[in-house]
Amino acid sequence: SELIRGFLLSGMPCPSSCPPGLLALMAPGLALMATFSLPSQAGDRRALPVEKPPGVKGRTLILLDVNTKSPVRIISENFLSLQLDPSIIHDGWLDFLSSRRLVTLARGLAPAFLRFAGKRTDFLQFHNVKNPAKSRGGPGPDYYLKNYEDDIVRSDIALDKQKGCKIAQHPDIMLELQREKAAQMHLVLLKEQFSNTYSNLTLTARSLDKLYNFADCSGLHLIFALNALRRNPNNSWNSSNALSLLKYSASKKYNISWELGNEPNNYRTLMGRSVNGSQLGKDYTQLRSLLQLIRTYSRAHLYGPNIGRPRKNVVAFLEGFMKVAGGTVDAVTWQHYYIDGRVAKVTDFLKTRLLDTLSDQIRKIQKVVNTYTPGKKIWLEGVGVTSAGGMNNLSDSYAAGFLWLNTLGLLASQGIDVVVRHSFLDHGHNHLVDQNFNPLPDYWLSLLYKRLIGPKVLAIHVAGLQRKPWPGRVIRDKLRIYAHCTSYHNHNYVRGSITLYIINLHRSRKKIKLAGTLRDKIVHQYLLQPYGKDGLHSKSVQLNGQPLAMVDDGTLPELKPRPLRAGRTLVIPPLTMSFYVVKNVNALACRYR
């Protein structure tokens, strides 16, 4: 008893004198992700009772240490980035991006990229006019109240008088009318999405100004995806409209990076004829030449090809693209959705098999990229919990955070440089901010990640005690642990601190004992749980027992940790996500940027 208790506190390998059968699992190893679970015993009548080790109390105890000497991966400072869908032109929300509240929320997630792209990218036309009332897509002033359009014009005039960052304070009645308009347009947008038939969109110069103002005020770097479906008779890309947009942006000295198209592997269903990877590679080479002709963008970054899920035909598409344009792009991009939003259930978000679907995709993409351009950075763009716009009270609930946080941990641990979340604000239910401009659970999760997680990924040493092991039984990984150096931008912690983030999908609490370099250090806990009676369906969250909400339109709340005494065992509640900053570790890997 005393021998085992001493071993647990020290984190040292079990000596040969340990009673046989007492340690069911004790295999220290180097891993990027630690996963342990307690198997159910229901239905197995042959299982014999096993004596529980003293002091363990029938619970799984995980011993955890981190390799602090050097990082195993270093990702971008903009690792967690954002996306806006062009549908915000249709439903009118683009006109409200200057809202102080939206800018405050976006600024909380800086530094980051802001990608303007989506299904409607390839139906977007640029029109160099300034009059917002006559050029806006969607229902006009006769369809709604005329003063709605007049208010937009007056707001634009007021913004024009401001210098620098342009911020608007929209009256409540104006926002209410916009929500009514967006609700009606939502039905139109969903019909287009399900039928895979999209109407053309017009982006005016005024709208582009508003988009860039939002990105610039929020500290985000804009990435603009150009329409790739404008084709010449020989199926080459028609760049005339893109050139008009590039020239206008250059005249305004807008600092923008560029892409061409969205999910080009699906063009056959959109236009009746396909564009293969080799042709898209030529189109990207043409775009690079255009950029080099414009002084402002001669060194602009170019990303692509933003393919869909890497099935067999899509992998072949990527190979064709990489042969022609692998050296042209600054990062290779693809996108992923976990679940069909029309059929999703809350239990889907707890399935470990679903969480693991991304791993196979990463391997496929990396294999192709490393074949043609070894070392080229890879991005996951347009990632969402569910497709088809998501599902109310599911993809915008606390439960969706399990997939989102695991996506961040898995991608970082496998060296994916940037992940772009779809979407910051849009017509569906995959967004971080709702149409009342209130942050949803995934926003708060993202904010914690930004505040606490740095770009250096650390390897983990793990070991655990497990009662009643079953030889040969597949143990599903319902406890997921990731480690990074703490963010250098967080001045509450000295350099050398380490942040752990943990997902517990078990329906029971789990205990973790910090060992080795983490032993006897003060820990700050950030425990994120659903708030209110809706449980996993909740759209509100609490941090260490305190509900999170904006203080006012210009102020985010203070994210207060709960200090834990040195040496205390971490107790992870069931079905929760949490962050733990281990202070003053003085980790060599984390001392310098």
Side-chain angles (χ1 to χ4, degrees), residues 208 243-256 258 294-297:
L208 181 59
L243 183 59
S244 176
L245 192 155
L246 289 169
K247 287 181 175 178
Y248 176 77
S249 300
S251 72
K252 304 287 285 189
K253 294 183 170 55
Y254 289 161
N255 180 19
I256 302 177
W258 304 94
I294 301 172
R295 179 179 298 179
T296 305
Y297 300 123

Side-chain angles (χ1 to χ4, degrees), residues 377-435:
K377 294 185 183 303
I378 301 174
W379 293 11
L380 178 59
E381 290 188 330
V383 65
V385 173
T386 59
S387 62
M391 183 175 287
N392 190 28
N393 293 325
L394 280 179
S395 51
D396 51 4
S397 71
Y398 178 86
F402 295 124
L403 277 175
W404 178 225
L405 187 57
N406 186 70
T407 297
L408 294 171
L410 185 62
L411 291 171
S413 68
Q414 299 205 27
I416 302 303
D417 198 50
V418 170
V419 53
V420 181
R421 170 61 188 256
H422 186 285
S423 173
F424 178 71
L425 171 77
D426 71 0
H427 68 277
H429 301 286
N430 276 331
H431 42 233
L432 300 181
V433 179
D434 70 16
Q435 296 191 353

Side-chain angles (χ1 to χ4, degrees), residues 273-334:
R273 60 178 180 177
S274 62
V275 175
N276 61 33
S278 177
Q279 179 58 57
L280 188 71
K282 295 174 183 176
D283 300 335
Y284 261 80
T285 302
Q286 180 183 348
L287 175 54
R288 173 62 80 187
S289 298
L290 273 183
L291 294 173
Q292 289 173 342
L293 292 174
I294 301 172
R295 179 179 298 179
T296 305
Y297 300 123
S298 61
R299 297 184 178 181
H301 288 139
L302 181 59
Y303 306 110
N306 192 44
I307 54 172
R309 183 177 297 183
R311 298 183 178 95
K312 186 175 181 180
N313 63 318
V314 181
V315 170
F317 185 101
L318 179 59
E319 289 175 338
F321 176 85
M322 295 300 294
K323 288 177 184 177
V324 177
T328 301
V329 294
D330 295 287
V332 177
T333 62
W334 97 102

Side-chain angles (χ1 to χ4, degrees), residues 210-227:
K210 292 178 179 179
L211 177 64
Y212 188 82
N213 176 72
F214 171 71
D216 195 42
C217 290
S218 304
L220 310 177
H221 178 79
L222 181 62
I223 300 174
F224 193 101
L226 299 165
N227 183 342

Side-chain angles (χ1 to χ4, degrees), residues 330-346:
D330 295 287
V332 177
T333 62
W334 97 102
Q335 58 181 298
H336 172 70
Y337 291 89
Y338 283 96
I339 317 172
D340 185 340
R342 291 167 286 187
V343 298
K345 305 181 295 296
V346 70

